[in-house]
Amino acid sequence: MPSQRAESNADELYALPLGEFTQARDQLARDLRTEGKRDEADAVKALRKPTAAAWALNQLARRRRKDVERLLSAGKRLRKAHEGLLRGGDRSALQKATAQERDLVDELARDARAIAGEAGTASSSATFDEHVRNTLHAAALDDDTAAELASGRLLRERGPIGMFGAGTASPAPPAKPGKARASGKAADEQAKVTRTQRRERERALAAARAGEQQAKREHARAAKATERAAKAAAEAHRRAEAADAALREAEAAEHEAATARDRAVRALASAEEDLA
């Protein structure tokens, strides 16, 4: 069983930004080896760097722990409902559990994408989103993946798992003898519908992201235009104040000149009277 120190080392490394993982791991391994802790150093050196999708999900598990726990609980309900249906139980319970699990996957996938976007670690949008969604579905349906996600130490994404696949399509009830072909055809049709719905959701998501980016660009342009206008207005105000001051100064000078003129006229008139 790993020591408490080893667990702490792993937690600290997997919580780091993805680009810092390898350097931090190697430095920690060197430090431990220098301290004579060879076993701990070897354990640290053996830790693998996660993929971009796994890293985003690890951070999600740390930041949204309660929501991840809700997903894992929804996965348990989904498996229980599926088992109940196979025993002849109510199909509506499976449909409800499927919808709950799917909604939580949608919500958490958006959050993981946001985390990756903030850190600049997301690769191709469609590929990244597919890896994230598949892994979240796998965590809901597989105990080992659930444990890795809950610990925040996923190393790589998971593919579709079980009968549900990446789209969590509701499985058909057990086919009765003589109806296997019809059931298979119905399952194929349902799978096609599910794939179509998923493609539509992905297109809508892509369109929404494109709209968001366009809105951000337009907002940035508008903000720059506002800044330029504010500077121009400030400059115009400064010039107007300077012009107003110059006008007042000119008016004062004109008044002084007029007063001096009047004095000169009176002085001339007085002089002329004295000479008369």
Side-chain angles (χ1 to χ4, degrees), residues 13 15-25 49-52 55 119-121:
L13 288 171
L16 290 173
L18 184 60
E20 299 178 12
F21 178 89
T22 301
Q23 182 178 356
R25 178 200 61 193
K49 180 180 179 179
T51 63
W55 177 87
T121 60

Side-chain angles (χ1 to χ4, degrees), residues 158-215:
R158 299 291 192 271
I161 185 171
M163 295 180 64
F164 306 105
T168 25
S170 300
K176 296 180 180 180
K179 294 185 178 181
R181 182 176 300 176
S183 298
K185 184 176 180 180
D188 289 342
E189 291 298 324
Q190 179 61 41
K192 289 180 181 178
V193 171
T194 300
R195 288 194 296 270
T196 299
Q197 291 174 339
R198 181 174 179 178
R199 284 194 295 269
E200 290 175 351
R201 288 196 298 269
E202 289 175 347
R203 283 194 293 269
L205 180 60
R209 287 190 179 127
E212 179 191 22
Q213 293 301 317
Q214 179 64 23

Side-chain angles (χ1 to χ4, degrees), residues 147-161:
E148 287 188 42
L149 175 60
S151 69
R153 298 187 198 173
L154 280 167
L155 295 181
R156 61 187 58 82
E157 57 275 357
R158 299 291 192 271
I161 185 171

Side-chain angles (χ1 to χ4, degrees), residues 15-20 52 55-57 59 63 111-123 128:
L16 290 173
L18 184 60
E20 299 178 12
W55 177 87
L57 288 169
Q59 309 320 305
R63 301 184 192 183
D111 293 337
R113 157 60 63 179
I115 290 172
E118 291 172 3
T121 60
S123 56
F128 180 89

Side-chain angles (χ1 to χ4, degrees), residues 196-246:
T196 299
Q197 291 174 339
R198 181 174 179 178
R199 284 194 295 269
E200 290 175 351
R201 288 196 298 269
E202 289 175 347
R203 283 194 293 269
L205 180 60
R209 287 190 179 127
E212 179 191 22
Q213 293 301 317
Q214 179 64 23
K216 286 182 178 178
R217 288 192 293 269
E218 291 178 356
H219 177 263
R221 286 195 294 268
K224 289 181 180 179
T226 300
E227 182 180 359
R228 289 194 298 269
K231 289 181 179 178
E235 178 64 18
H237 182 67
R238 185 188 65 77
R239 291 179 180 177
E241 287 184 337
D244 187 53

